[in-house]
Amino acid sequence: MSSLKLDIVTAEHIVYSEDVDAVIAPGVEGQLGILPHHAPLMTILQAGELVARRGGEEDTLAISGGFLEVRPDRVIVLADSAERAEEIDMERAEAAKQRAEQRLTERGAPGVDAARIEASLQRAMARLTVAEKIKRRRKL
Ligand code: ATP
C-alpha cells in the first residue's frame, strides 16, 4: 500500500515525521483530507486538530496555524507551534484560555490587541480539544 511521508516542523524542532496513510488537517476553509497521490497543493492552516492515520492507528496533534504543502507522496506542515496530543499540558492551555477570555472583556481598552488575543484563544482551544479527545479515548 502506498503511503505519504508527513513532516510537521516548527521554527524550533521537528515535531512529527512518519509514513502515514492519510492526513486530515485544519485548513482555513475547512478540514482538508489528503491521501497518497493527492495533487500538489499549498495552503494555509488555522489553529485546530491534525490527524495522521497510520495502519489502524491515529496520531493526533494540535496545530496553531501555519502552512501545508502537498508534494508527490509527501506532506510538509510548517506550523507556528504543534504538539502531539500526549504532550499537551491541559492546565497550561486552560490557564491560557482563561487569560485570553479575560483580556477579551477588555477589548477596546488601550493596548489591548484583540486579534492577538483571539489567536491565543484559538491556540488554547485547539490544545484543549485535542487533549480532551485523547483523554476520552483512553478511558474507553
Ligand atoms: P502560553 O500562554 O501558555 O505560553 P501560547 O499559546 O502563548 O501559550 P505558544 O507561543 O503558542 O504558547 O507556544 C510556545 C511553546 O510552548 C511552543 O513550543 C508550544 O508547542 C508550547 N506550548 C504552548 N502551550 C502548550 C501546552 N498547553 N502544552 C504543551 N506545550 C505547549
Side-chain angles (χ1 to χ4, degrees):
M1 185 178 171
S2 65
S3 69
L4 286 167
K5 176 78 190 297
L6 170 63
D7 286 305
I8 302 174
V9 300
T10 68
E12 289 158 6
H13 59 290
I14 299 169
V15 180
Y16 187 93
S17 181
E18 300 283 347
D19 288 323
V20 302
D21 304 314
V23 180
I24 301 145
V28 277
E29 280 160 31
Q31 279 207 335
L32 199 67
I34 300 145
L35 294 168
H37 311 303
H38 193 289
L41 170 84
M42 178 91 173
T43 192
I44 300 173
L45 299 179
Q46 61 181 350
E49 174 187 78
L50 185 147
V51 176
R53 297 215 170 113
R54 199 162 51 88
E57 307 269 304
E58 273 191 359
D59 296 324
T60 310
L61 297 97
I63 300 283
S64 67
F67 296 95
L68 177 145
E69 185 180 4
V70 183
R71 294 189 195 164
D73 295 327
R74 215 165 159 200
V75 177
I76 301 160
V77 174
L78 303 175
D80 298 330
S81 73
E83 302 89 35
R84 287 175 181 257
E86 314 75 49
E87 293 164 359
I88 293 171
D89 177 339
M90 287 186 79
E91 278 179 25
R92 177 173 167 184
E94 186 57 47
K97 176 173 172 265
Q98 285 179 15
R99 228 172 20 247
E101 284 170 343
Q102 172 57 35
R103 290 285 280 157
L104 281 176
T105 65
E106 297 154 18
R107 195 194 283 268
V112 175
D113 181 345
R116 231 178 106 189
I117 302 165
E118 278 288 355
S120 145
L121 181 60
Q122 296 308 320
R123 290 197 297 277
M125 303 233 300
R127 286 171 180 137
L128 287 169
T129 304
V130 166
E132 268 157 17
K133 186 172 151 184
I134 289 298
K135 214 166 125 184
R136 270 202 310 276
R137 201 181 284 165
R138 281 195 180 137
K139 281 189 191 148
L140 292 177

